[in-house]
Amino acid sequence: MDDFNSETDSDYTSYWRDWFISSRGNEYFCEIDEDYLTDRFNLTGLNGEVQYYQYALDLVTDVFDLDCDDEMRETIEKSARHLYGLVHARYIVTTRGLAKMLEKYKKADFGKCPRVMCEAHPLLPMGQADNPNAKAVKLYCARCEDIYNPKSSRHSAIDGAYFGTSFHNIIFQVYPALIPAKSYDRYVPRVFGFKVHAPAALIRWQHAERDEMRRRLRKLEIESGFKDDEGDVEAEDSEEEEEEEEADPEVFENGEAQGGQVGPVA
């Protein structure tokens, strides 16, 4: 019985996919079903993306029997990892793939949000581009709706295209009960209990609103009533004249302008 168990375990661990999933740095990946990998429809267009595509596919599906040197084997191994990642991006948006990633999400296998206000909410891997070799994988928090870099350097080296730009949103469309309550809490800087820069921010906002209101009143030719309005109007008029002069330099070329002659008044 012991011999049978050891032989079974040895055969099981000899599968390439099991070795890939159990390797350090590949914790974000789920295992792709063999029937999905052997369906050519699911691999459409990948033969042009992967070097030694057929050999790589044979290695992933455990039918590789090519006798080659170590350098060639290493190249095919690299292509197999790339192929698995590209297929993985397609697989995890299927019903079966979403269920597997959901289990990893519930166990927080992808990490927890580093933001204090999110109270260690689980993260999801995501890509910022669907094309390979463009952006590394990021981690998305559904509570604060922000993205973060992985803590481990091994995870930071994973291509974001292996998860795609849609998976982290699709999983909440399929499982809406997982959508967390949004985090509206924000850190408020304080000094001895008093808010920092709150009056200054309010004054800046008031100035911006006042300037916008004055511009609207001038367009409507309505008296604003501000004391410094006349000086601002003259300043804006001079700026408009300068802009017109820059826009039509030929008009001022001979010292003349529309409506009169430009020059000192006697």
Side-chain angles (χ1 to χ4, degrees):
M1 179 63 69
D2 294 338
D3 293 339
F4 174 79
N5 291 335
S6 61
E7 182 179 358
T8 304
D9 294 339
S10 177
D11 292 340
Y12 181 78
T13 55
S14 66
Y15 292 149
W16 187 91
R17 295 191 303 280
D18 297 319
W19 166 82
F20 179 80
I21 296 298
S22 60
S23 299
R24 293 185 63 185
N26 294 334
E27 291 84 2
Y28 290 177
F29 295 92
C30 70
E31 184 177 358
I32 304 175
D33 295 335
E34 185 174 358
D35 56 349
Y36 189 90
L37 283 167
T38 54
D39 188 344
R40 296 288 178 173
F41 176 78
N42 300 323
L43 310 177
T44 303
L46 296 182
N47 56 341
E49 297 284 343
V50 181
Q51 186 182 16
Y52 300 114
Y53 167 78
Q54 190 57 53
Y55 291 145
L57 180 60
D58 292 344
L59 182 60
V60 172
T61 54
D62 302 302
V63 295
F64 183 79
D65 59 355
L66 178 66
D67 187 11
C68 57
D69 55 18
D70 294 340
E71 183 177 357
M72 183 66 174
R73 174 82 182 194
E74 184 178 354
T75 303
I76 296 175
E77 176 70 32
K78 182 178 179 180
S79 297
R81 292 194 295 268
H82 184 50
L83 176 62
Y84 190 91
L86 295 178
V87 179
H88 184 267
R90 300 180 178 185
Y91 176 73
I92 59 177
V93 295
T94 65
T95 303
R96 179 63 176 164
L98 286 171
K100 289 186 177 182
M101 295 295 279
L102 175 61
E103 293 301 319
K104 298 174 71 68
Y105 172 72
K106 289 180 177 180
K107 294 185 293 184
D109 288 348
F110 309 116
K112 298 178 180 179
C113 184
R115 184 174 177 271
V116 176
M117 301 297 182
C118 288
E119 300 177 349
H121 191 79
L123 298 171
L124 280 172
M126 60 159 289
Q128 294 180 284
D130 291 315
N131 298 324
N133 304 319
K135 296 281 187 178
V137 67
K138 304 296 180 184
L139 297 173
Y140 171 75
C141 176
R143 189 167 187 182
C144 64
E145 296 182 333
D146 209 344
I147 60 177
Y148 303 90
N149 290 317
K151 291 183 178 180
S152 173
S153 58
R154 296 190 303 270
H155 297 150
S156 299
I158 300 175
D159 198 323
Y162 296 164
F163 299 89
T165 59
S166 301
F167 155 72
H168 63 290
N169 293 318
I170 292 177
I171 193 170
F172 292 113
Q173 295 290 327
V174 177
Y175 302 102
L178 295 178
I179 301 176
K182 303 306 177 187
S183 176
Y184 296 105
D185 295 331
R186 292 291 182 271
Y187 169 71
V188 179
R190 297 176 183 273
V191 175
F192 299 116
F194 298 97
K195 294 182 180 180
V196 179
H197 300 312
L202 177 60
I203 292 173
R204 287 195 297 269
W205 176 81
Q206 289 174 339
H207 283 319
E209 290 294 316
R210 184 187 63 179
D211 293 341
E212 179 63 26
M213 182 182 66
R214 291 166 68 180
R215 282 192 292 268
R216 293 197 303 266
L217 291 175
R218 289 194 194 115
K219 289 182 180 180
L220 298 175
E221 298 180 354
I222 300 176
E223 183 67 26
S224 64
F226 291 101
K227 294 181 179 180
D228 56 344
D229 192 49
E230 295 180 359
D232 292 342
V233 170
E234 293 177 357
E236 290 185 2
D237 291 342
S238 61
E239 292 179 0
E240 292 178 359
E241 290 178 0
E242 292 177 0
E243 292 177 357
E244 291 176 358
E245 183 176 350
E246 293 176 357
D248 300 318
E250 296 180 356
V251 177
F252 295 86
E253 184 176 359
N254 298 324
E256 296 180 354
Q258 295 179 357
Q261 182 177 356
V262 177
V265 179

